Amino acid sequence: MQPPPDESLREAAEDAQWSRPECQVWTGTLLLGTCLLYCARVSVPVCAAAMSQDFGWNKKEAGVFFWGSCLTQGAGGRLGDRIGGEKVILLSASAWGFITAATPLLSRLSSAHLAFMTFSRILTGLLQGVYFPALTSLLSQKVRESERAFTYSTVGAGSQFGTLVTGAVGSLLLDWYGWPSVFYFSGGLTLLWVCYVYRRLLGEKDLILALGVLAQGLPVSRHTKVPRRQLFRKPSVWAAIISQLAAACSFFILLSWLPTFFKETFPSSKGWVFNVVPWLVAIPASLFSRLLSDRLINQGYRTITVRKFMQAMGLGLSSVFALCLGHTSSFCKSVVFASASIGLQTFNHSGISVNIQDLAPSCAGFLFGVANTAGALARVVGVCLGGYLIETTGSWTSVFNLVAAISSLGLCTFLVFGKAQRVDLSPAHEDL
């Protein structure tokens, strides 16, 4: 007698999961990959003041560098579900590493500095846009459910490590050798990481097989029991999308404008202080959030209760400290408030980021790609709107009020409509 279809699918999924040693190796590798992605991504905010001085840019023009990542989130998730997230990540990293390293050369090709710089950053955004959806697809398929929050939060901590590395090393390179050295540094490290993954964890056969599967046009997922159009009829899916949108938008407004805020508000301050300290706080905060999340679940708290608590910290309390930034003239207090706000935002990794895997593990890459597309669009608008508000009002308070308003919207939506029950199975087989 053959086992029921759903049981066969579950057993097949478990067989495809990483063993503990494999999970440890891949967790460390993907942590470094996320770190390098943010090294490349944060290069522009760290260098913005120097580049604007060289090329004569204003604040409203900076937001265009984020448009590219809006366009490839969904594609990244679909490709991850289809050919394997690790292969998508490797292919995209090799391309964005090369483009990042070549960015200073592109900016010098002609007198149209902004056009060439914008082209290189949009292209980088296109290539990086597939990373997190592919990562979500990979972890949802390869990591056991009980370990997803731990693994995702650990890998997600690479965003803080990467920002810290670029803030510290990038600030020194900027002072010593000028802004092009920051791009050479981040792009070169990414290409070295690609070589390591290709030689040690993947190979030519894996990549050729992945491209062959992609060319054949096989279904994106073999395990989903609900058509994808039906996923978007679920309020919990929209709650996840809106909360992800708010989290991404709030984070990137702060990420993009905090270096300029400190440079203009406290011109005599050292760049390495405000570019490093908030991320030194964020790393232990991220580790604490994942340990707290797993502990609460192991103690018997409902999964959705823990997810909502994490979002209350990541969107609610963090926005309170962001508001405080607009009402102090003390450099020390500003660093404390910025550090608290950035640190608390890492709780989102154990909240909404894992909640998407709760809802639809069989097509988590696709769903995360949709959510991140919304987030990418919102953060571009948010970064541009932040620059517009600074230019027109002459006050940084308006930017921090914008962060608080966006965060509150996302938090309230998730608290009311968020759930952890699976929506990618037929109603008779919901298992969370």
Side-chain angles (χ1 to χ4, degrees), residues 17-34 86 89 131 135 138-139 142-143 147 150-151 154-155 193 196-202:
Q17 291 174 341
W18 289 324
S19 65
R20 187 168 295 275
E22 287 176 326
C23 188
Q24 291 172 347
V25 172
W26 273 105
T27 299
T29 302
L30 293 170
L31 169 64
L32 182 57
T34 306
E86 69 276 22
I89 288 170
Y131 183 89
L135 174 65
L138 176 63
L139 297 185
K142 297 293 188 178
V143 179
E147 299 176 356
F150 177 88
T151 304
T154 301
V155 174
W193 179 80
Y196 166 79
V197 175
Y198 178 76
R199 290 177 176 273
R200 297 297 181 91
L201 300 179
L202 291 176

Side-chain angles (χ1 to χ4, degrees), residues 324-349:
C324 294
L325 276 169
H327 297 86
T328 181
S329 57
S330 167
F331 175 71
C332 291
K333 288 182 178 179
S334 294
V335 172
V336 170
F337 293 149
S339 300
S341 184
I342 293 294
L344 287 166
Q345 288 203 2
T346 64
F347 280 63
N348 292 321
H349 293 310

Side-chain angles (χ1 to χ4, degrees), residues 48-66:
M51 294 167 67
S52 297
Q53 186 175 1
D54 279 358
F55 299 133
W57 300 337
N58 60 44
K59 296 182 180 66
K60 288 182 284 188
E61 294 168 331
V64 300
F65 298 140
F66 294 91

Side-chain angles (χ1 to χ4, degrees), residues 127-302:
L127 296 165
Q128 291 186 339
V130 305
Y131 183 89
F132 281 106
L135 174 65
T136 301
S137 175
L138 176 63
L139 297 185
S140 68
Q141 296 173 21
K142 297 293 188 178
V143 179
R144 291 177 174 82
E145 181 182 312
S146 60
E147 299 176 356
R148 283 179 193 158
F150 177 88
T151 304
Y152 198 95
S153 297
T154 301
V155 174
S159 60
Q160 289 84 49
F161 277 110
T163 308
L164 174 62
V165 169
T166 304
V169 179
S171 295
L172 295 176
L173 290 174
L174 183 63
D175 291 339
W176 294 345
Y177 304 109
W179 64 265
S181 63
V182 181
F183 290 92
Y184 297 143
F185 170 75
S186 59
L189 286 181
T190 300
L191 293 176
L192 289 176
W193 179 80
V194 167
C195 291
Y196 166 79
V197 175
Y198 178 76
R199 290 177 176 273
R200 297 297 181 91
L201 300 179
L202 291 176
E204 184 177 354
K205 291 183 179 179
D206 293 310
L207 296 180
I208 292 175
L209 178 62
L211 293 174
V213 171
L214 183 59
Q216 292 173 13
L218 294 181
V220 174
S221 175
R222 294 169 294 175
H223 307 311
T224 181
K225 287 292 187 179
V226 175
R228 288 196 172 143
R229 64 181 178 275
Q230 293 186 22
L231 294 179
F232 298 104
R233 298 176 184 175
K234 308 288 186 179
S236 57
V237 171
W238 284 106
I241 291 173
I242 292 172
S243 187
Q244 178 68 19
L245 179 155
C249 187
S250 303
F251 177 76
F252 273 90
I253 290 175
L254 292 177
L255 179 71
S256 300
W257 292 117
L258 276 179
T260 306
F261 163 73
F262 278 104
K263 197 69 176 179
E264 292 187 354
T265 309
F266 309 101
S268 60
S269 60
K270 297 293 184 180
W272 67 267
V273 176
F274 55 78
N275 283 329
V276 170
V277 173
W279 309 103
L280 281 176
V281 174
I283 292 170
S286 178
L287 299 177
F288 172 74
S289 71
R290 65 182 170 88
L291 293 174
L292 177 61
S293 174
D294 289 343
R295 183 175 181 82
L296 290 174
I297 291 175
N298 290 333
Q299 287 182 347
Y301 289 92
R302 294 178 62 213

